[in-house]
Amino acid sequence: MRFNGSAGFLEIKYKNMKMKIISTPLIPIVIISYFVIALYSQIHESNHNHSNPIKTDEVLPDTVEVVDQITIVTAPPPMDSLIHAMIQVESRDNDSAYCASEDAVGCLQIRPIMVKEVNRICKRLGIEKTYELQDRWSRPESIQMLKIFARFYKLNSFEDVARCWNGGPRGMTYASTEGYWNKVQNEMI
């Protein structure tokens, strides 16, 4: 754990995960540190206490398993909090959300063009998986599509992932995606 007071952030490393928590005037770094230490203690304790293990369905996978082949598509760690925030912004955690005017479907409001793009990426990477339009209704499939998209375009920050998900591969260059990123950040707090 590293604290940089002048920059106002706390950086936490645990195993292969790295998290940077930015302090705000509303949330002093001391309070954040307390909760992070408590969380670390819970994780550490659960790893050594087999009577209360972490359930695998509570943790999103860092890889995508495709058919009989395993293709490593690692998300920028830890991506779980970003995905949760994006799902809140996109659908308010509703897997059945549908926007008729954009034909956007599911928890991440995926449009047909994104399914086509992810299938193009899979083909280019040699992944023998084809996503169908109905896969947008599935939370795990939607999250896999997001991770494949983010990894292919080397989106290494939460802001890059969110803004490019909202505005396409060059979403970082569009001012119109700044509002989306602000909404995602608000959900992460």
Side-chain angles (χ1 to χ4, degrees):
M1 187 166 9
R2 176 173 70 103
F3 173 66
N4 184 333
S6 61
F9 70 84
L10 174 71
E11 184 175 78
I12 300 146
K13 291 181 182 179
Y14 176 70
K15 293 190 180 180
N16 64 346
M17 298 184 335
K18 184 171 152 183
M19 181 186 324
K20 188 179 279 188
I21 299 174
I22 299 170
S23 178
T24 67
L26 298 174
I27 308 170
I29 201 74
V30 174
I31 294 171
I32 292 171
S33 301
Y34 173 78
F35 287 110
V36 169
I37 291 167
L39 176 63
Y40 171 81
S41 298
Q42 255 188 338
I43 291 170
H44 185 71
E45 183 178 310
S46 67
N47 286 341
H48 294 10
N49 181 357
H50 298 290
S51 63
N52 187 20
I54 295 176
K55 296 177 185 169
T56 56
D57 61 347
E58 293 175 359
V59 180
L60 296 175
D62 285 336
T63 59
V64 177
E65 291 183 32
V66 183
V67 193
D68 294 324
Q69 138 195 35
I70 298 176
T71 305
I72 298 174
V73 183
T74 306
M79 199 169 176
D80 298 353
S81 61
L82 173 66
I83 292 170
H84 174 74
M86 289 173 64
I87 288 172
Q88 290 302 313
V89 170
E90 293 285 355
S91 68
R92 287 287 160 221
D93 203 26
N94 181 359
D95 292 341
S96 300
Y98 176 67
C99 176
S101 64
E102 298 179 4
D103 193 18
V105 169
C107 66
L108 283 168
Q109 290 294 282
I110 298 175
R111 298 177 185 162
I113 191 72
M114 181 56 78
V115 175
K116 185 176 180 181
E117 173 66 358
V118 171
N119 283 334
R120 182 191 71 79
I121 291 168
C122 287
K123 185 176 180 182
R124 188 165 176 190
L125 296 176
I127 300 171
E128 296 178 17
K129 166 74 174 171
T130 303
Y131 290 94
E132 304 292 333
L133 290 179
Q134 65 265 20
D135 291 334
R136 301 176 296 167
W137 298 102
S138 164
R139 183 174 295 232
E141 296 286 315
S142 294
I143 291 170
Q144 284 181 355
M145 285 189 256
L146 169 63
K147 287 183 176 185
I148 289 169
F149 176 83
R151 192 62 188 158
F152 180 77
Y153 286 106
K154 297 177 176 57
L155 306 175
N156 295 318
S157 74
F158 284 0
E159 182 177 5
D160 290 349
V161 172
R163 290 182 68 186
C164 291
W165 184 254
N166 181 246
R170 291 184 291 263
M172 284 298 296
T173 63
Y174 305 140
S176 61
T177 63
E178 289 174 9
Y180 179 79
W181 169 236
N182 290 335
K183 289 178 186 177
V184 170
Q185 281 183 299
N186 288 337
E187 290 296 330
M188 291 176 71
I189 294 176

